[in-house]
Every structure is written in C-alpha cells, then in structure tokens.
mmCIF file of all heavy atoms in Angstrom:
data_model
loop_
_atom_site.group_PDB
_atom_site.id
_atom_site.type_symbol
_atom_site.label_atom_id
_atom_site.label_comp_id
_atom_site.label_asym_id
_atom_site.label_seq_id
_atom_site.Cartn_x
_atom_site.Cartn_y
_atom_site.Cartn_z
ATOM 1 N N VAL A 1 -34.521 -46.817 -40.923
ATOM 2 C CA VAL A 1 -33.518 -45.819 -41.261
ATOM 3 C C VAL A 1 -32.074 -46.317 -40.989
ATOM 4 O O VAL A 1 -31.764 -46.761 -39.880
ATOM 5 C CB VAL A 1 -33.703 -44.517 -40.447
ATOM 6 C CG1 VAL A 1 -32.818 -43.426 -40.979
ATOM 7 C CG2 VAL A 1 -35.184 -44.121 -40.494
ATOM 8 N N HIS A 2 -31.283 -46.263 -42.041
ATOM 9 C CA HIS A 2 -29.843 -46.574 -41.901
ATOM 10 C C HIS A 2 -29.082 -45.527 -42.656
ATOM 11 O O HIS A 2 -29.626 -44.791 -43.529
ATOM 12 C CB HIS A 2 -29.539 -47.983 -42.414
ATOM 13 C CG HIS A 2 -29.566 -48.077 -43.898
ATOM 14 N ND1 HIS A 2 -30.725 -47.938 -44.621
ATOM 15 C CD2 HIS A 2 -28.536 -48.230 -44.813
ATOM 16 C CE1 HIS A 2 -30.434 -48.033 -45.927
ATOM 17 N NE2 HIS A 2 -29.121 -48.245 -46.050
ATOM 18 N N GLY A 3 -27.766 -45.430 -42.425
ATOM 19 C CA GLY A 3 -26.969 -44.424 -43.168
ATOM 20 C C GLY A 3 -27.456 -43.037 -42.855
ATOM 21 O O GLY A 3 -27.646 -42.678 -41.674
ATOM 22 N N ILE A 4 -27.622 -42.246 -43.896
ATOM 23 C CA ILE A 4 -28.031 -40.868 -43.707
ATOM 24 C C ILE A 4 -29.500 -40.677 -44.118
ATOM 25 O O ILE A 4 -30.037 -41.360 -44.980
ATOM 26 C CB ILE A 4 -27.151 -39.872 -44.500
ATOM 27 C CG1 ILE A 4 -27.239 -40.165 -46.010
ATOM 28 C CG2 ILE A 4 -25.760 -39.904 -43.971
ATOM 29 C CD1 ILE A 4 -26.585 -39.058 -46.826
ATOM 30 N N ALA A 5 -30.143 -39.759 -43.437
ATOM 31 C CA ALA A 5 -31.500 -39.253 -43.812
ATOM 32 C C ALA A 5 -31.384 -37.749 -43.781
ATOM 33 O O ALA A 5 -31.371 -37.150 -42.705
ATOM 34 C CB ALA A 5 -32.562 -39.761 -42.844
ATOM 35 N N THR A 6 -31.217 -37.121 -44.951
ATOM 36 C CA THR A 6 -30.953 -35.690 -44.985
ATOM 37 C C THR A 6 -32.022 -34.978 -45.805
ATOM 38 O O THR A 6 -32.577 -35.526 -46.741
ATOM 39 C CB THR A 6 -29.576 -35.424 -45.621
ATOM 40 O OG1 THR A 6 -29.494 -36.006 -46.903
ATOM 41 C CG2 THR A 6 -28.495 -35.916 -44.729
ATOM 42 N N ALA A 7 -32.268 -33.704 -45.417
ATOM 43 C CA ALA A 7 -33.214 -32.822 -46.108
ATOM 44 C C ALA A 7 -34.553 -33.519 -46.269
ATOM 45 O O ALA A 7 -35.200 -33.898 -45.263
ATOM 46 C CB ALA A 7 -32.629 -32.345 -47.425
ATOM 47 N N ALA A 8 -35.047 -33.716 -47.528
ATOM 48 C CA ALA A 8 -36.336 -34.363 -47.714
ATOM 49 C C ALA A 8 -36.310 -35.821 -47.265
ATOM 50 O O ALA A 8 -37.366 -36.415 -46.988
ATOM 51 C CB ALA A 8 -36.720 -34.340 -49.209
ATOM 52 N N GLY A 9 -35.144 -36.407 -47.114
ATOM 53 C CA GLY A 9 -35.044 -37.745 -46.537
ATOM 54 C C GLY A 9 -35.346 -37.746 -45.047
ATOM 55 O O GLY A 9 -36.002 -38.650 -44.503
ATOM 56 N N CYS A 10 -34.883 -36.704 -44.366
ATOM 57 C CA CYS A 10 -35.226 -36.507 -42.972
ATOM 58 C C CYS A 10 -36.728 -36.195 -42.832
ATOM 59 O O CYS A 10 -37.401 -36.635 -41.920
ATOM 60 C CB CYS A 10 -34.368 -35.355 -42.404
ATOM 61 S SG CYS A 10 -34.389 -35.224 -40.616
ATOM 62 N N GLN A 11 -37.251 -35.452 -43.804
ATOM 63 C CA GLN A 11 -38.699 -35.182 -43.896
ATOM 64 C C GLN A 11 -39.499 -36.460 -43.976
ATOM 65 O O GLN A 11 -40.546 -36.607 -43.340
ATOM 66 C CB GLN A 11 -38.965 -34.254 -45.064
ATOM 67 C CG GLN A 11 -40.427 -33.875 -45.255
ATOM 68 C CD GLN A 11 -40.621 -33.016 -46.503
ATOM 69 O OE1 GLN A 11 -39.697 -32.790 -47.283
ATOM 70 N NE2 GLN A 11 -41.847 -32.588 -46.737
ATOM 71 N N LEU A 12 -39.029 -37.376 -44.785
ATOM 72 C CA LEU A 12 -39.692 -38.676 -44.939
ATOM 73 C C LEU A 12 -39.765 -39.401 -43.576
ATOM 74 O O LEU A 12 -40.829 -39.936 -43.235
ATOM 75 C CB LEU A 12 -38.954 -39.572 -45.928
ATOM 76 C CG LEU A 12 -39.363 -39.601 -47.408
ATOM 77 C CD1 LEU A 12 -38.456 -40.542 -48.189
ATOM 78 C CD2 LEU A 12 -40.854 -39.980 -47.535
ATOM 79 N N VAL A 13 -38.676 -39.395 -42.834
ATOM 80 C CA VAL A 13 -38.707 -40.012 -41.534
ATOM 81 C C VAL A 13 -39.776 -39.338 -40.658
ATOM 82 O O VAL A 13 -40.518 -39.999 -39.942
ATOM 83 C CB VAL A 13 -37.312 -39.890 -40.866
ATOM 84 C CG1 VAL A 13 -37.350 -40.512 -39.433
ATOM 85 C CG2 VAL A 13 -36.248 -40.629 -41.703
ATOM 86 N N GLY A 14 -39.796 -37.995 -40.668
ATOM 87 C CA GLY A 14 -40.728 -37.311 -39.863
ATOM 88 C C GLY A 14 -42.199 -37.539 -40.207
ATOM 89 O O GLY A 14 -43.072 -37.471 -39.379
ATOM 90 N N MET A 15 -42.462 -37.838 -41.499
ATOM 91 C CA MET A 15 -43.824 -38.055 -41.952
ATOM 92 C C MET A 15 -44.290 -39.464 -41.763
ATOM 93 O O MET A 15 -45.480 -39.736 -41.826
ATOM 94 C CB MET A 15 -43.945 -37.640 -43.435
ATOM 95 C CG MET A 15 -43.825 -36.159 -43.648
ATOM 96 S SD MET A 15 -45.029 -35.115 -42.734
ATOM 97 C CE MET A 15 -46.560 -35.598 -43.531
ATOM 98 N N CYS A 16 -43.375 -40.396 -41.556
ATOM 99 C CA CYS A 16 -43.793 -41.767 -41.220
ATOM 100 C C CYS A 16 -44.368 -41.768 -39.815
ATOM 101 O O CYS A 16 -43.959 -41.006 -38.957
ATOM 102 C CB CYS A 16 -42.609 -42.732 -41.303
ATOM 103 S SG CYS A 16 -42.055 -43.058 -43.021
ATOM 104 N N ASP A 17 -45.290 -42.680 -39.568
ATOM 105 C CA ASP A 17 -45.949 -42.741 -38.245
ATOM 106 C C ASP A 17 -44.961 -43.142 -37.129
ATOM 107 O O ASP A 17 -45.056 -42.719 -35.993
ATOM 108 C CB ASP A 17 -47.087 -43.740 -38.246
ATOM 109 C CG ASP A 17 -48.106 -43.401 -39.365
ATOM 110 O OD1 ASP A 17 -48.631 -42.263 -39.374
ATOM 111 O OD2 ASP A 17 -48.347 -44.288 -40.248
ATOM 112 N N LEU A 18 -44.033 -44.004 -37.519
ATOM 113 C CA LEU A 18 -43.044 -44.600 -36.577
ATOM 114 C C LEU A 18 -41.715 -44.666 -37.282
ATOM 115 O O LEU A 18 -41.647 -44.683 -38.485
ATOM 116 C CB LEU A 18 -43.502 -45.980 -36.118
ATOM 117 C CG LEU A 18 -44.866 -46.085 -35.465
ATOM 118 C CD1 LEU A 18 -45.385 -47.495 -35.498
ATOM 119 C CD2 LEU A 18 -44.798 -45.570 -34.027
ATOM 120 N N ALA A 19 -40.620 -44.748 -36.510
ATOM 121 C CA ALA A 19 -39.317 -44.896 -37.135
ATOM 122 C C ALA A 19 -38.393 -45.665 -36.248
ATOM 123 O O ALA A 19 -38.342 -45.451 -35.049
ATOM 124 C CB ALA A 19 -38.686 -43.511 -37.394
ATOM 125 N N VAL A 20 -37.681 -46.632 -36.837
ATOM 126 C CA VAL A 20 -36.668 -47.399 -36.163
ATOM 127 C C VAL A 20 -35.340 -47.130 -36.907
ATOM 128 O O VAL A 20 -35.248 -47.209 -38.095
ATOM 129 C CB VAL A 20 -36.978 -48.914 -36.204
ATOM 130 C CG1 VAL A 20 -35.866 -49.690 -35.522
ATOM 131 C CG2 VAL A 20 -38.290 -49.215 -35.600
ATOM 132 N N ALA A 21 -34.310 -46.748 -36.147
ATOM 133 C CA ALA A 21 -33.045 -46.308 -36.726
ATOM 134 C C ALA A 21 -31.890 -47.183 -36.260
ATOM 135 O O ALA A 21 -31.831 -47.615 -35.115
ATOM 136 C CB ALA A 21 -32.738 -44.840 -36.374
ATOM 137 N N SER A 22 -30.970 -47.435 -37.209
ATOM 138 C CA SER A 22 -29.710 -48.007 -36.856
ATOM 139 C C SER A 22 -28.949 -47.018 -36.022
ATOM 140 O O SER A 22 -29.026 -45.799 -36.215
ATOM 141 C CB SER A 22 -28.895 -48.323 -38.129
ATOM 142 O OG SER A 22 -27.549 -48.438 -37.883
ATOM 143 N N SER A 23 -28.120 -47.530 -35.070
ATOM 144 C CA SER A 23 -27.315 -46.644 -34.244
ATOM 145 C C SER A 23 -26.286 -45.869 -35.025
ATOM 146 O O SER A 23 -25.764 -44.854 -34.534
ATOM 147 C CB SER A 23 -26.630 -47.481 -33.162
ATOM 148 O OG SER A 23 -25.829 -48.499 -33.726
ATOM 149 N N GLU A 24 -26.031 -46.315 -36.258
ATOM 150 C CA GLU A 24 -25.101 -45.580 -37.111
ATOM 151 C C GLU A 24 -25.762 -44.563 -37.969
ATOM 152 O O GLU A 24 -25.068 -43.871 -38.771
ATOM 153 C CB GLU A 24 -24.318 -46.611 -37.941
ATOM 154 C CG GLU A 24 -23.436 -47.558 -37.130
ATOM 155 C CD GLU A 24 -22.702 -48.571 -38.009
ATOM 156 O OE1 GLU A 24 -22.985 -48.635 -39.229
ATOM 157 O OE2 GLU A 24 -21.837 -49.245 -37.466
ATOM 158 N N ALA A 25 -27.086 -44.466 -37.946
ATOM 159 C CA ALA A 25 -27.812 -43.489 -38.788
ATOM 160 C C ALA A 25 -27.523 -42.052 -38.342
ATOM 161 O O ALA A 25 -27.230 -41.798 -37.171
ATOM 162 C CB ALA A 25 -29.311 -43.773 -38.724
ATOM 163 N N ARG A 26 -27.604 -41.126 -39.315
ATOM 164 C CA ARG A 26 -27.399 -39.727 -39.029
ATOM 165 C C ARG A 26 -28.438 -38.903 -39.761
ATOM 166 O O ARG A 26 -28.875 -39.264 -40.875
ATOM 167 C CB ARG A 26 -25.991 -39.305 -39.453
ATOM 168 C CG ARG A 26 -24.870 -40.036 -38.743
ATOM 169 C CD ARG A 26 -23.497 -39.783 -39.386
ATOM 170 N NE ARG A 26 -23.072 -38.454 -39.121
ATOM 171 C CZ ARG A 26 -22.478 -37.642 -40.005
ATOM 172 N NH1 ARG A 26 -22.339 -38.042 -41.275
ATOM 173 N NH2 ARG A 26 -22.089 -36.425 -39.666
ATOM 174 N N PHE A 27 -28.824 -37.781 -39.162
ATOM 175 C CA PHE A 27 -29.944 -37.010 -39.643
ATOM 176 C C PHE A 27 -29.549 -35.553 -39.751
ATOM 177 O O PHE A 27 -28.852 -34.978 -38.923
ATOM 178 C CB PHE A 27 -31.155 -37.118 -38.691
ATOM 179 C CG PHE A 27 -31.580 -38.536 -38.406
ATOM 180 C CD1 PHE A 27 -30.875 -39.330 -37.507
ATOM 181 C CD2 PHE A 27 -32.671 -39.062 -39.058
ATOM 182 C CE1 PHE A 27 -31.285 -40.622 -37.242
ATOM 183 C CE2 PHE A 27 -33.091 -40.344 -38.834
ATOM 184 C CZ PHE A 27 -32.369 -41.151 -37.910
ATOM 185 N N ALA A 28 -30.025 -34.897 -40.844
ATOM 186 C CA ALA A 28 -29.761 -33.460 -41.009
ATOM 187 C C ALA A 28 -30.746 -32.879 -42.015
ATOM 188 O O ALA A 28 -31.317 -33.593 -42.858
ATOM 189 C CB ALA A 28 -28.354 -33.203 -41.518
ATOM 190 N N VAL A 29 -31.045 -31.587 -41.863
ATOM 191 C CA VAL A 29 -31.766 -30.836 -42.907
ATOM 192 C C VAL A 29 -30.757 -29.791 -43.407
ATOM 193 O O VAL A 29 -30.700 -28.674 -42.885
ATOM 194 C CB VAL A 29 -33.065 -30.208 -42.368
ATOM 195 C CG1 VAL A 29 -34.199 -31.247 -42.362
ATOM 196 C CG2 VAL A 29 -32.915 -29.703 -40.925
ATOM 197 N N SER A 30 -30.000 -30.197 -44.400
ATOM 198 C CA SER A 30 -28.783 -29.482 -44.736
ATOM 199 C C SER A 30 -28.931 -28.529 -45.902
ATOM 200 O O SER A 30 -27.904 -28.027 -46.451
ATOM 201 C CB SER A 30 -27.671 -30.495 -45.060
ATOM 202 O OG SER A 30 -28.149 -31.536 -45.859
ATOM 203 N N GLY A 31 -30.131 -28.244 -46.362
ATOM 204 C CA GLY A 31 -30.317 -27.324 -47.480
ATOM 205 C C GLY A 31 -29.667 -25.949 -47.249
ATOM 206 O O GLY A 31 -29.143 -25.330 -48.171
ATOM 207 N N ILE A 32 -29.668 -25.571 -45.989
ATOM 208 C CA ILE A 32 -29.126 -24.242 -45.650
ATOM 209 C C ILE A 32 -27.655 -24.123 -46.065
ATOM 210 O O ILE A 32 -27.162 -23.011 -46.361
ATOM 211 C CB ILE A 32 -29.277 -23.939 -44.115
ATOM 212 C CG1 ILE A 32 -29.125 -22.451 -43.827
ATOM 213 C CG2 ILE A 32 -28.393 -24.819 -43.317
ATOM 214 C CD1 ILE A 32 -30.220 -21.586 -44.336
ATOM 215 N N ASN A 33 -26.960 -25.218 -46.124
ATOM 216 C CA ASN A 33 -25.537 -25.227 -46.530
ATOM 217 C C ASN A 33 -25.336 -24.880 -47.957
ATOM 218 O O ASN A 33 -24.202 -24.484 -48.351
ATOM 219 C CB ASN A 33 -24.926 -26.599 -46.213
ATOM 220 C CG ASN A 33 -24.926 -26.920 -44.784
ATOM 221 O OD1 ASN A 33 -24.896 -26.079 -43.912
ATOM 222 N ND2 ASN A 33 -24.928 -28.223 -44.432
ATOM 223 N N VAL A 34 -26.365 -25.021 -48.788
ATOM 224 C CA VAL A 34 -26.257 -24.640 -50.197
ATOM 225 C C VAL A 34 -27.181 -23.468 -50.560
ATOM 226 O O VAL A 34 -27.537 -23.249 -51.691
ATOM 227 C CB VAL A 34 -26.531 -25.857 -51.123
ATOM 228 C CG1 VAL A 34 -25.508 -26.938 -50.917
ATOM 229 C CG2 VAL A 34 -27.971 -26.421 -50.910
#
C-alpha cells in the first residue's frame, strides 16, 4: 500500500491476508462524503 487506499480500495487492504504500508499511505472509507 502506497498513496491512498479509499472506500473499496481500503476494503481491498482489509480483505488481503496481510498488508505492508508506506509511512506516507493514507486510508479512508469516504463514501459518506458523497
């Protein structure tokens, strides 16, 4: 994971068995904003 992982992208991270992230990565489930 690098950059952003938002909404279904954040879901992808959650569904992977393991995750390694860059310290600059950011996560959100932002559908509620729209």
Side-chain angles (χ1 to χ4, degrees):
V1 190
H2 74 292
I4 61 169
T6 54
C10 194
Q11 180 184 3
L12 266 180
V13 177
M15 291 303 292
C16 289
D17 305 302
L18 302 160
V20 180
S22 160
S23 57
E24 296 180 351
R26 300 169 71 223
F27 304 80
V29 277
S30 46
I32 197 69
N33 295 333
V34 296

